[in-house]
Amino acid sequence: MGNFQVDKNGFYGEFGGAYVPEILYKCVHDLQDAYLPIIESEEFKQAYHQLLKDYVGRPSPLYYARRMSEKYGCQLYLKREDLNHTGAHKINNTIGQILLAKKLGKTRVIAETGAGQHGVATATVCALMDMRCEVFMGATDVERQHTNVERMRMLGAEVHPVRTGNMTLSDACSEAIRDWCCHPADTFYIVGSTMGPHPYPDLVARLQSVISEEIKWQLAEKTGRDYPDYLMACIGGGSNAAGTIYHYMNDERVKIVLAEAGGHGWDTDYTAATIHRGTTGILHGAKMLVMQNEDGQIQEAFTISAGLDYPGVGPMHCNMAKQGRTTVLSINDDEAIAGGYELTRLEGIIPAIESAHAIAALGKLHFKHDDVVVLTVSGRGDKDIETYLAYKK
Ligand SMILES: *Cc1c(COP(=O)(O)O)cnc(C)c1O
């Protein structure tokens, strides 16, 4: 089996790298040189794990879902990232990056956000660490996700509506990079997923890897074996998926199944199924699979799930899918909604619509009764209640 980790030039096979404007060259290179020594230092690990425990509420439970196991004929365990402070896995990453920003002596933080979940997680750690915070968000999303905008403002962040392009996540990323170019010396860009120029995909994957680190000992405790037969997660940019699989990437006993957002169907114009539909291109500083037309114009992603609404996907996942290490399924809006309702009714857990894509993928697999399946519930569904209700006609 191949090696799926990043190489020393920041590539995963043909994907990744750091395609940044000249003005950011020094800033990105400084980060490339600094991130590993810092995040592997005892001082960092101590502060990071203390906050994950006392502030985020980790370890997140690994929950045996009895009724869902019966339904799907397997032994299903849910990794409950929905129980984290701020309601999703994103805080694992922002806690780590704010510690890194502090260590590098930065005084201002910027971030991009789509649905607002990463913006809220960033504004939260900036409040915690007394750091100035500015968040770029597409003007369309500012309207669609008003509660999260209010949360960010309440936390003390400044939210900049972005009015270029489709006025959604992809445009917010471009605007954040533009801002970074203007303030490379004092500003730290907290990237929200396993995307962006090297070292971000690797940095974010490592910070999220606490998920599979916990799965290892939690599974051993519950089943006597520290690996599952299947790992499952939803995939947008790829951070909760990266965290879920990190310690099992090279373990051939473990099958990996990821669910991307099909929207109305991966073969329609209304989709965010980038691994099914994308072709190689460069977006936001890295080479990856991108939904684009023949002229390289980025095509807008479409899905009911704001957190999966991105026309690209992180380079680590592009490579793993291409090498055949992961199986990527496209889950349509209606299937995800049904999956969300099912988990709610069978287990009393309302998942984020993003996570509901992974739930819906269960029905597309054929398990043996004793197969151990670990599925990451990346976030809670409180933010999505209106969408769930609107869809249930
Ligand atoms: C942002 C988000 C996602 C998608 O992002 P990844 O980086 O692919 O994990 C998935 N689930 C929830 C709850 C989110 O907030």
Side-chain angles (χ1 to χ4, degrees):
M1 193 170 291
N3 176 12
F4 302 109
Q5 290 288 359
V6 71
D7 70 22
K8 65 179 192 319
N9 298 316
F11 281 87
Y12 301 82
E14 68 183 273
F15 302 103
Y19 299 84
V20 294
E22 190 68 36
I23 183 99
L24 285 182
Y25 193 80
K26 179 177 181 324
C27 180
V28 166
H29 271 262
D30 287 349
L31 188 59
Q32 287 172 359
D33 292 340
Y35 82 111
L36 281 181
I38 293 176
I39 70 174
E40 284 175 350
S41 71
E42 281 313 311
E43 183 195 351
F44 178 93
K45 283 193 207 161
Q46 214 275 335
Y48 177 61
H49 286 287
Q50 193 75 50
L51 282 171
L52 288 184
K53 177 165 177 278
D54 296 335
Y55 189 73
V56 175
R58 303 201 73 90
S60 65
L62 184 70
Y63 165 71
Y64 176 66
R66 186 181 56 83
R67 296 185 67 200
M68 289 286 283
S69 294
E70 275 167 18
K71 164 140 195 183
Y72 289 103
C74 65
Q75 307 299 312
L76 177 66
Y77 291 85
L78 302 176
K79 183 59 172 160
R80 300 288 310 276
E81 295 301 302
D82 58 312
L83 294 176
N84 294 339
H85 179 44
T86 69
H89 64 292
K90 293 217 166 68
I91 190 98
N92 304 327
N93 171 45
T94 57
I95 290 264
Q97 287 198 49
I98 194 88
L99 290 172
L100 185 53
K102 281 264 170 197
K103 187 75 194 171
L104 292 171
K106 304 288 180 175
T107 55
R108 174 176 178 266
V109 159
I110 58 169
E112 85 294 340
T113 197
Q117 296 300 106
H118 174 58
V120 168
T122 303
T124 298
V125 298
C126 286
L128 177 70
M129 296 290 180
D130 190 21
M131 190 83 103
R132 200 172 136 202
C133 180
E134 296 182 39
V135 179
F136 296 89
M137 186 173 189
T140 309
D141 291 330
V142 168
E143 264 176 45
R144 289 196 291 198
Q145 310 287 337
H146 212 256
T147 315
N148 274 341
V149 175
E150 300 305 342
R151 285 167 86 194
M152 286 183 263
R153 288 186 174 142
M154 188 169 169
L155 287 157
E158 199 175 325
V159 179
H160 299 290
V162 175
R163 298 185 201 284
T164 52
N166 299 311
M167 304 194 276
T168 57
L169 175 59
S170 189
D171 313 295
C173 292
S174 306
E175 199 56 38
I177 292 174
R178 229 166 273 143
D179 176 284
W180 197 22
C181 290
C182 299
H183 311 91
D186 68 339
T187 296
F188 191 93
Y189 180 10
I190 297 192
V191 173
S193 188
T194 42
M195 42 166 282
H198 176 62
Y200 280 106
D202 185 50
L203 171 62
V204 176
R206 284 170 187 265
L207 294 173
Q208 290 292 357
S209 73
V210 64
I211 298 174
S212 53
E213 197 179 301
E214 289 173 5
I215 291 173
K216 269 206 145 156
W217 64 258
Q218 288 173 319
L219 260 190
E221 217 172 77
K222 288 189 189 318
T223 70
R225 205 179 81 177
D226 72 353
Y227 68 93
D229 297 293
Y230 288 85
L231 280 172
M232 297 177 70
C234 66
I235 176 165
S239 69
N240 89 89
T244 301
I245 68 179
Y246 196 85
H247 289 91
Y248 298 104
M249 282 194 286
N250 294 309
D251 186 338
E252 295 178 43
R253 299 168 298 186
V254 182
K255 299 178 194 71
I256 301 172
V257 180
L258 304 178
E260 62 177 359
H264 289 179
W266 67 266
D267 52 356
T268 70
D269 284 343
Y270 299 92
T271 187
T274 317
I275 295 176
H276 281 75
R277 273 293 282 279
T279 51
T280 304
I282 292 171
L283 183 61
H284 302 134
K287 195 179 275 184
M288 57 173 129
L289 293 172
V290 183
M291 296 202 302
Q292 56 190 336
N293 67 18
E294 280 137 39
D295 303 328
Q297 286 291 336
I298 303 303
Q299 272 164 350
E300 193 177 5
F302 183 95
T303 154
I304 195 169
S305 152
L308 303 178
D309 204 353
Y310 184 64
V313 58
M316 173 182 142
H317 294 290
C318 295
N319 182 49
M320 289 181 83
K322 186 165 181 195
Q323 305 292 332
R325 175 64 183 103
T326 51
T327 302
V328 181
L329 302 176
S330 169
I331 302 296
N332 295 351
D333 289 350
D334 53 347
E335 297 172 312
I337 293 283
Y341 271 95
E342 184 177 281
L343 188 67
T344 303
R345 295 293 167 81
L346 289 182
E347 300 288 347
I349 298 169
I350 304 177
I353 291 186
E354 292 84 3
S355 323
H357 285 72
I359 300 286
L362 284 167
K364 310 217 172 220
L365 301 171
H366 299 282
F367 299 114
K368 295 195 293 289
H369 177 72
D370 57 1
D371 278 341
V372 173
V373 180
V374 173
L375 184 152
T376 295
V377 180
S378 54
R380 64 179 85 127
D382 304 32
K383 66 183 178 60
D384 298 320
I385 302 299
E386 278 173 32
T387 313
Y388 275 124
L389 291 175
Y391 220 86
K392 199 82 176 176
K393 285 157 223 121

